[in-house]
């Protein structure tokens, strides 16, 4: 077979991929050596009798030779070696979700999950329980990098939460997304090109559907707090389904600079379905202004405080990507962020005040840095911020494949952020890679101290899945830092376990949650170490994603009791 050769098992580590699967039909272990090329790592399986290999795709066609293992020792060695490479492929794939077309898919998945969560909160217990099966498949599809399948199952869960049985036509409508061609448009342009594109495969034709587009201002509130109806700007534009698929130009000549959303309503006879909104920005002299920010940043770089230098560097990366039409994982308020960069560079001495004021009225993106290490944050402060009254701090740690945006956009449609703000806490969501945080919680607090007045005696941690493991890691590093912690859908073994056990812990998992064993093990180890305030809760008919939303009310009740203990 051209371009591919089999190699002995003990040289597999020098190849690019191995895989084995223990299936009901038995063990099939294979090793494949793949020559250099342009590879796209995704999940793959080899099953006995199928000869199937999925996941390593080359820019050219090739067919690998599969070599079965020969003896039990060889098979055991292959099992662990292939597990190592599988983890590399999965983790590499999850990391690569931050690039290219995957950003479009991430953004759509986030919006579809958010839509489900908002509906789930209004559903009956029976409907909530029925949602678990498609959600389990959605989560499994995400971690096997079948993102479009994950989206399809999220939508299936949404229909169930609505107690609705959709027609094939309705499924087809919901299977589409709104594509704004120019994400960062010049204010001099009088139109914005928009089209509907299939997000996942559907079968029905929609020749008779009508599509209505409208423009609204981009929201600045959390999803859970947004009104059902948003006031539109200007007139509704009506088109046929075929026209919307081919692409249309919406008149935006009367719009000032700003951040906006395209809203889309599809009419099917006497029924209508709303598609998920798509964000975009309108900026005067956008490219020239972004370039001027870059030049000014380079001129001042050595004299800027680390957090300003790192924040503007990250914002420039995003703004330049948007200028080139590259989607981000959230609808990014480019107009607002560009003005923030311009103001921080114009008056660096006032940047802390600017960030503090911004965080009281809308989400703030900020990057803290120490030397070459940095951590991107999304945060929000209660209103008003009294610089003479330090605020408690709630750290939020996301799961694998997520980012600092996840707790703000999903996990109960921003429910944890809203609950923290209601209590007067500064809410800080961190971005962590698959190897953890570049800076620990104490270092992040130190970096934020010049910007926000913080009460370091009232610091709380909350994390989901991999983020629950991060909670355990941070407690192990600084067992006296948090006043209480919440670990949901996962766990870990903190260093200095005995000291960690003296902290109040709320640990939660769903009965169908694959992170349940880790959460339960964490709870048991803390109790064995002498912990007296270790609470474990298990939620019936809940899987690995909805568990956050399901557990939030009890989790914050627990934190309230720690923050305000009853007097004897």
């Amino acid at each position: 077979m051209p371009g591919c050769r089999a190699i002995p098992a003990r040289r597999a580590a020098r190849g690019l991929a191995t895989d084995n699967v223990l299936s009901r039909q038995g063990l099939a272990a294979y090793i494949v050596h793949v020559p250099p090329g342009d590879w796209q790592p995704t999940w793959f399986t080899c099953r006995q009798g199928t000869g199937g290999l999925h996941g390593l795709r080359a820019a050219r066609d090739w067919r690998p030779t599969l070599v079965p293992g020969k003896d039990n020792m060889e098979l055991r060695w292959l099992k662990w070696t292939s597990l190592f490479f599988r983890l590399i492929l999965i983790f590499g794939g999850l990391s690569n979700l931050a690039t290219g077309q995957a950003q479009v898919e991430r953004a759509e998945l986030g919006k579809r999950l958010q839509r489900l969560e908002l509906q789930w909160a209004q559903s009956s217990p029976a409907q909530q329980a029925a949602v678990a099966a498609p959600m389990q498949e959605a989560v499994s599809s995400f971690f096997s990098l079948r993102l479009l399948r994950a989206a399809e199952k999220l939508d299936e869960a949404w229909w169930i939460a609505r107690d609705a049985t959709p027609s094939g036509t309705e499924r087809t409508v919901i299977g589409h997304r709104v594509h704004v061609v120019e994400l960062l448009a010049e204010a001099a342009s009088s139109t914005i090109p928009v089209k509907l594109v299939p997000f996942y495969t559907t079968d029905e034709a929609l020749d008779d559907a009508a599509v209505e587009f409208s423009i609204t201002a981009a929201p600045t509130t959390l999803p859970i707090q947004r009104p059902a109806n948003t006031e539109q700007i200007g007139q509704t534009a009506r088109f046929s389904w075929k026209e919307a698929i081919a692409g249309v130009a919406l008149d935006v000549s009367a719009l000032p600079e700003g951040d906006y959303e395209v809203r889309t309503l599809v009419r099917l006879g006497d029924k209508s379905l709303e598609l998920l909104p798509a964000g975009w920005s309108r900026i005067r002299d956008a490219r020239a202004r972004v370039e001027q920010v870059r030049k000014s940043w380079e001129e001042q770089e050595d004299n800027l405080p680390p957090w300003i230098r790192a924040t503007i560097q990250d914002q420039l990366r995003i703004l330049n990507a948007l200028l080139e039409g590259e989607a981000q994982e959230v609808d990014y308020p480019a107009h607002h962020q560009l003005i923030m960069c311009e103001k921080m560079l114009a008056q660096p001495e006032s940047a802390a005040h600017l960030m503090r004021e911004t965080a009281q009225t809308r989400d703030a993106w900020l990057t803290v840095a120490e030397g070459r290490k940095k951590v991107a944050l999304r945060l929000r402060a209660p209103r008003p911020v009294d610089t003479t009254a330090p605020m408690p701090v709630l750290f939020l740690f996301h799961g694998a494949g997520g980012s600092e945006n996840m707790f703000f956009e999903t996990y109960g449609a921003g429910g944890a952020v809203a609950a923290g703000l209601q209590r007067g806490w500064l809410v800080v969501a961190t971005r962590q890679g698959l190897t953890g945080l570049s800076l620990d919680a104490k270092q992040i607090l130190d970096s934020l101290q010049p910007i926000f007045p913080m009460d370091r005696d009232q610091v709380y941690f909350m994390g989901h899945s991999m983020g629950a493991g991060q909670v355990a890691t941070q407690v192990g590093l600084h067992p006296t830092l948090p006043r209480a912690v919440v670990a949901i859908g996962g766990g870990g073994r903190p260093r200095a376990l005995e000291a960690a056990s003296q902290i109040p812990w709320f640990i939660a998992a769903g009965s169908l949650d694959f992170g349940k064993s880790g959460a339960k093990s964490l709870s048991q180890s803390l109790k064995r170490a002498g912990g007296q305030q270790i609470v474990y809760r298990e939620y019936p008919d809940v899987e690995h994603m909805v568990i956050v939303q399901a557990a939030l009310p009890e989790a914050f009740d627990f934190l309230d009791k720690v923050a305000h203990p009853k007097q004897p």
Side-chain angles (χ1 to χ4, degrees):
M1 177 199 58
C4 186
R5 62 186 178 86
I7 60 174
R10 298 188 187 282
R11 289 176 54 206
R14 291 200 291 270
L16 294 184
T18 69
D19 187 35
N20 69 14
V21 174
L22 277 169
S23 65
R24 293 178 182 176
Q25 292 77 26
L27 174 67
Y30 304 101
I31 303 174
V32 178
H33 173 74
V34 184
D38 296 325
W39 308 107
Q40 300 173 355
T42 62
W43 179 267
F44 66 89
T45 58
C46 299
R47 288 187 174 85
Q48 186 173 11
T50 68
L53 176 64
H54 309 282
L56 281 177
R57 299 197 300 274
R60 56 186 180 275
D61 292 322
W62 60 277
R63 186 176 300 277
T65 298
L66 304 178
V67 183
K70 294 182 179 180
D71 56 66
N72 290 337
M73 181 177 294
E74 187 89 335
L75 292 178
R76 286 196 298 271
W77 188 89
L78 282 172
K79 177 179 179 180
W80 292 107
T81 303
S82 64
L83 175 61
F84 170 74
F85 278 99
R86 178 181 293 177
L87 291 173
I88 289 176
L89 288 169
I90 296 173
F91 288 176
L94 289 175
S95 298
N96 288 336
L97 290 181
T99 61
Q101 173 65 20
Q103 286 286 50
V104 174
E105 296 171 354
R106 281 169 63 88
E108 277 294 310
L109 282 177
K111 290 177 181 179
R112 289 165 195 266
L113 175 58
Q114 182 188 108
R115 177 172 62 188
L116 165 66
E117 291 172 340
L118 291 169
Q119 186 63 51
W120 188 90
Q122 303 174 39
S123 301
S124 69
Q127 291 164 352
Q128 290 177 345
V131 160
M135 281 302 299
Q136 282 183 291
E137 190 169 346
V139 172
S140 173
S141 296
F142 175 80
F143 281 111
S144 59
L145 306 182
R146 295 175 297 155
L147 302 189
L148 302 187
R149 179 63 172 171
E152 193 171 357
K153 301 312 290 187
L154 282 172
D155 288 349
E156 181 182 328
W158 176 68
W159 287 112
I160 292 172
R162 295 181 71 198
D163 196 22
T165 303
S167 65
T169 301
E170 289 172 318
R171 289 182 185 275
T172 295
V173 171
I174 294 301
H176 282 71
R177 68 177 182 87
V178 182
H179 174 53
V180 180
V181 178
E182 296 179 14
L183 297 172
L184 204 166
E186 285 287 348
S189 175
S190 61
T191 61
I192 185 76
V194 176
K195 64 191 302 185
L196 301 186
V197 297
F199 189 52
Y200 52 77
T201 303
T202 53
D203 300 326
E204 296 280 333
L206 295 175
D207 295 337
D208 297 331
V211 182
E212 298 179 357
F213 292 111
S214 60
I215 305 293
T216 63
T220 58
T221 56
L222 294 166
I224 198 174
Q225 299 170 332
R226 289 171 194 166
N229 298 313
T230 305
E231 183 178 352
Q232 74 178 59
I233 305 170
Q235 299 297 313
T236 298
R238 294 176 175 83
F239 301 91
S240 70
W241 179 264
K242 286 184 177 179
E243 288 173 325
I245 291 292
V248 299
L250 304 183
D251 182 4
V252 295
S253 56
L255 290 182
E257 290 185 281
D259 299 308
Y260 298 97
E261 284 186 335
V262 173
R263 298 272 178 161
T264 307
L265 190 70
V266 180
R267 295 196 180 275
L268 304 164
D270 59 349
K271 295 183 178 180
S272 62
L273 285 170
E274 187 174 4
L275 298 186
L276 294 163
W280 63 287
S281 300
R282 183 170 167 83
I283 300 176
R284 173 184 49 81
D285 300 327
R287 196 171 293 275
R289 287 170 66 183
V290 171
E291 176 61 16
Q292 183 55 48
V293 166
R294 184 193 65 79
K295 290 181 179 178
S296 180
W297 176 78
E298 288 182 348
E299 292 169 358
Q300 300 182 56
E301 181 181 1
D302 293 340
N303 298 318
L304 293 172
W307 74 268
I308 299 179
R309 182 171 64 246
T311 296
I312 293 178
Q313 183 180 36
D314 280 359
Q315 299 306 305
L316 278 170
R317 176 183 55 79
I318 295 171
L319 290 168
N320 277 304
L322 289 170
L323 280 170
E324 300 308 317
E326 297 175 14
Q328 301 301 295
E329 67 173 16
V330 295
D331 289 334
Y332 193 77
H335 175 257
H336 168 75
Q337 292 302 115
L338 176 57
I339 290 175
M340 288 285 290
C341 290
E342 290 171 335
K343 288 182 176 180
M344 284 193 288
L345 287 170
Q347 293 183 302
E349 67 281 2
S350 301
H353 175 77
L354 174 65
M355 189 63 68
R356 196 161 51 244
E357 291 294 308
T358 299
Q360 295 177 62
T361 58
R362 60 188 301 156
D363 303 343
W365 282 268
L366 185 154
T367 304
V368 293
E370 206 174 276
R372 297 177 63 86
K373 297 179 179 180
K374 62 180 184 178
V375 176
L377 309 174
R378 186 170 173 177
L379 51 80
R380 195 150 183 159
R383 188 173 186 178
V385 171
D386 183 352
T387 55
T388 64
M391 297 176 287
V393 181
L394 173 63
F395 275 99
L396 300 173
F397 302 109
H398 64 80
S403 74
E404 72 278 11
N405 296 310
M406 201 159 182
F407 266 102
F408 279 78
E409 302 288 340
T410 58
Y411 284 148
V417 179
L421 294 174
Q422 288 169 4
R423 288 158 174 79
W425 299 352
L426 175 66
V427 181
V428 180
T430 67
R431 181 194 302 171
Q432 59 173 329
L434 292 163
T435 57
L437 285 169
S438 299
L439 301 173
D440 63 38
K442 182 179 180 300
Q443 291 170 313
I444 294 172
L445 286 174
D446 291 342
S447 297
L448 290 176
Q449 195 71 59
I451 311 169
F452 296 98
M454 296 177 293
D455 184 351
R456 297 178 76 139
D457 291 329
Q458 292 195 73
V459 175
Y460 305 95
F461 295 162
M462 178 179 291
H464 169 247
S465 193
M466 182 179 75
Q470 187 60 243
V471 167
T473 297
Q474 295 302 315
V475 169
L477 291 171
H478 304 290
T480 61
L481 178 59
R483 188 164 179 176
V485 299
V486 176
I488 303 174
R493 185 179 176 87
R495 290 193 294 180
L497 183 61
E498 186 174 343
S501 70
Q502 303 309 303
I503 301 168
W505 287 74
F506 180 88
I507 304 168
S511 64
L512 305 175
D513 184 352
F514 66 74
K516 180 174 70 173
S517 60
K520 188 175 290 187
S521 176
L522 172 61
S523 172
Q524 292 169 346
S525 65
L526 290 166
K527 289 178 179 178
R528 285 195 298 267
Q532 299 298 310
Q533 297 185 71
I534 313 300
V535 174
Y536 175 76
R537 292 284 185 269
E538 191 169 304
Y539 295 81
D541 300 316
V542 173
E543 40 58 58
H544 187 65
M545 185 56 65
V546 175
I547 180 57
V548 180
Q549 184 172 7
L552 283 181
E554 277 196 281
F556 276 95
D557 284 346
F558 176 83
L559 294 178
D560 286 341
K561 291 173 182 177
V562 173
H564 308 288
K566 291 183 178 180
Q567 297 300 319

